[in-house]
Amino acid sequence: MSEEDRTRAMRSPGDGRPLPGRNADGPRAGGAPAHRIPSAQQVPPTAQQAPPSNLPAEPVSDAPRAGSSRVYGRQRSGGSPIKPFTPKSEPTPSGASDPSGPKPPRRRIKGRTILTIIAAVVALLLVVGVGLFFWIDSRLTGIPGVLDDYAGRPADTPGTNWLLVGSDSRKGLSAADRKKLATGRAAGQRTDSMMLLHIPAGSDKPTLVSLPRDSAVTIPGKGRNKLNAAYAFGGPKLLAQTVETVTGIRVDNYMEIGFAGFVDIVDAVGGVEINVRAAVDDPKAGLKLKKGLQTLTGGQALGYVRTRKGGALPDFERTKRQRQFLGAVVKKAASPGVLINPFTSIPLAMSATDAVAVDASTGAFDMLSLGLAMGDSPVTTVVPFGGNEIAGGGSAVKWDKEKALALFDALKQDKPVPKEILDAG
């Protein structure tokens, strides 16, 4: 080995001094590669780039395929232009809505949930209804002894019989009220109207029969007199006994109402719609009405059922108006618009319980039965009569005995009243 070769071998690579040339090469620095680097045309630029770390390694070909291009070091198919990279949108903060994003599906109420809500509402209504029922029952004023048994009292018959009495009591009316309503200053208490309501046990319609207050009857222990005199002599008890004696019908329930209560009930339901058949002008009753359908206030309704004006038989026409009014006021009170609305139903319940007095055995359930019967458009009539007789020191209405007995017998047997007996008006 020559001296030059030994020196070259002993020198450490990369010391910066040029190495002796080899063949046609020029001077080389220490640490230079021992082999020639291929030219740029021989090495594709993409071959020197490493694939992204999140992509699987694929073999890279030195020559690109026809009709293809490379994106980020990977081959892709197709010749469409490369779309720019769009970063993902930031997540929507919790609680904020994203109008551009998809809307969440609507939550549908399940059938079980609807049934639960309905059941809860029904249960609430039942609780309120039961509470109102007992509240009304506790407010009813009972008259002791009005329907007590006595010797010779008629036996019980099918169906339910009510004796409904309108008294001329001024209790609860101030001097100004009496003047406004034209009720007068009469002291004491008398019956102004009397009706017998029969509620059948079967499916027939109820029957409402007017008992003219001037009817000539025999009052137990008092002899022959007008029917309204029985109340003056012995109050509700003697009146009920007199009605049972002359009709042969056992009275199951008794209810009476005075002038003040009458007005309060009508006003509580917002007035009563009445078809006035003929114009009425009666200063004694404080009444002046035009003919036709109209809504009457409490004061007007009171005058309407009390007036004796109109018709060839004033007392006969009066009983018609009383039955007409009673049916109208009960229908109005039982209408959904009154019962469902607490602003009308509660005042009505308070007015009704303050206004009426019943026998000791009558309760809220019986009152409900009465209301349903009156709301069922009962058959209405008056006791058949013909002529007059002197009774109680004056002229009284004489009943047609044969027809009256046929009427009361039908009620006792719980049968419809024969049509030829019914009052056509």
Side-chain angles (χ1 to χ4, degrees):
M1 178 180 298
S2 64
E3 187 65 23
E4 182 180 354
D5 292 336
R6 284 197 302 269
T7 303
R8 184 180 297 172
M10 293 175 61
R11 291 172 59 183
S12 59
D15 59 0
R17 289 176 294 176
L19 296 175
R22 184 182 299 169
N23 300 330
D25 294 340
R28 295 182 293 135
H35 304 281
R36 182 177 297 176
I37 299 175
S39 62
Q41 290 80 5
Q42 295 174 331
V43 181
T46 56
Q48 298 178 6
Q49 299 177 2
S53 58
N54 60 342
L55 297 176
E58 294 183 2
V60 181
S61 173
D62 290 341
R65 293 178 298 173
S68 66
S69 60
R70 298 178 184 272
V71 179
Y72 307 124
R74 295 186 60 188
Q75 297 180 356
R76 72 181 187 91
S77 60
S80 60
I82 300 175
K83 294 182 179 180
F85 174 74
T86 304
K88 294 183 179 179
S89 59
E90 294 294 329
T92 304
S94 177
S97 60
D98 183 8
S100 62
K103 295 182 179 180
R106 289 185 177 181
R107 296 183 61 187
R108 294 185 178 180
I109 301 177
K110 297 181 179 180
R112 183 177 298 179
T113 304
I114 296 176
L115 291 177
T116 302
I117 294 174
I118 294 175
V121 172
V122 172
L124 179 61
L125 291 177
L126 286 175
V127 171
V128 173
V130 171
L132 185 62
F133 178 85
F134 284 105
W135 176 70
I136 293 175
D137 190 72
S138 66
R139 288 177 56 89
L140 287 174
T141 302
I143 306 174
V146 64
L147 294 179
D148 285 350
D149 284 335
Y150 55 88
R153 187 182 185 191
D156 195 11
T157 55
T160 304
N161 301 302
W162 282 79
L163 180 57
L164 308 175
V165 177
S167 74
D168 63 359
S169 170
R170 277 77 172 170
K171 183 180 179 180
L173 294 176
S174 64
D177 292 333
R178 291 196 295 269
K179 183 178 180 180
K180 179 181 178 181
L181 299 174
T183 60
R185 300 180 180 180
Q189 186 172 347
R190 288 161 292 275
T191 52
D192 202 57
S193 61
M194 288 160 285
M195 286 176 275
L196 187 65
L197 174 67
H198 175 74
I199 304 175
S203 58
D204 294 327
K205 282 186 173 294
T207 302
L208 183 65
V209 182
S210 290
L211 308 174
R213 70 173 191 170
D214 290 336
S215 298
V217 296
T218 300
I219 301 175
K222 302 295 181 180
R224 198 76 173 168
N225 210 318
K226 295 179 181 180
L227 181 59
N228 66 341
Y231 193 97
F233 290 146
K237 183 176 182 178
L238 183 57
L239 175 63
Q241 184 177 349
T242 302
V243 170
E244 288 183 335
T245 301
V246 299
T247 64
I249 296 175
R250 187 185 184 100
V251 175
D252 300 300
N253 301 94
Y254 175 92
M255 184 185 77
E256 72 175 54
I257 182 172
F259 284 168
F262 187 100
V263 174
D264 290 342
I265 290 177
V266 175
D267 290 339
V269 298
V272 177
E273 194 173 64
I274 295 290
N275 186 15
V276 180
R277 299 180 181 179
V280 181
D281 188 0
D282 185 2
K284 291 184 178 180
L287 185 66
K288 188 174 183 178
L289 297 175
K290 296 180 180 180
K291 179 181 178 180
L293 187 66
Q294 53 200 291
T295 300
L296 306 185
T297 63
Q300 291 174 322
L302 178 60
Y304 184 73
V305 299
R306 291 183 60 227
T307 183
R308 292 176 177 270
K309 294 281 186 177
L313 298 172
D315 199 54
F316 180 66
E317 294 297 325
R318 189 168 182 259
T319 61
K320 287 183 178 181
R321 290 192 295 271
Q322 290 170 351
R323 296 194 304 271
Q324 179 191 21
F325 165 78
L326 184 59
V329 73
V330 172
K331 283 185 178 181
K332 179 68 176 292
S335 64
V338 172
L339 292 180
I340 297 177
N341 186 356
F343 295 101
T344 54
S345 61
I346 294 178
L348 172 62
M350 296 180 66
S351 298
T353 51
D354 289 339
V356 303
V358 296
D359 65 279
S361 64
T362 295
F365 183 80
D366 301 297
M367 298 294 289
L368 176 61
S369 176
L370 171 64
L372 293 175
M374 289 302 303
D376 192 26
S377 300
V379 176
T380 61
T381 189
V382 64
V383 178
F385 60 89
N388 298 291
E389 68 173 82
I390 301 299
S395 177
V397 177
K398 185 177 182 179
W399 289 358
D400 184 317
K401 186 174 182 180
E402 183 179 350
K403 291 183 178 180
L405 286 177
L407 168 65
F408 297 133
D409 284 343
L411 299 182
K412 283 191 293 184
Q413 298 172 20
D414 202 26
K415 294 181 179 180
V417 177
K419 293 183 178 180
E420 61 270 17
I421 299 177
L422 294 176
D423 170 26

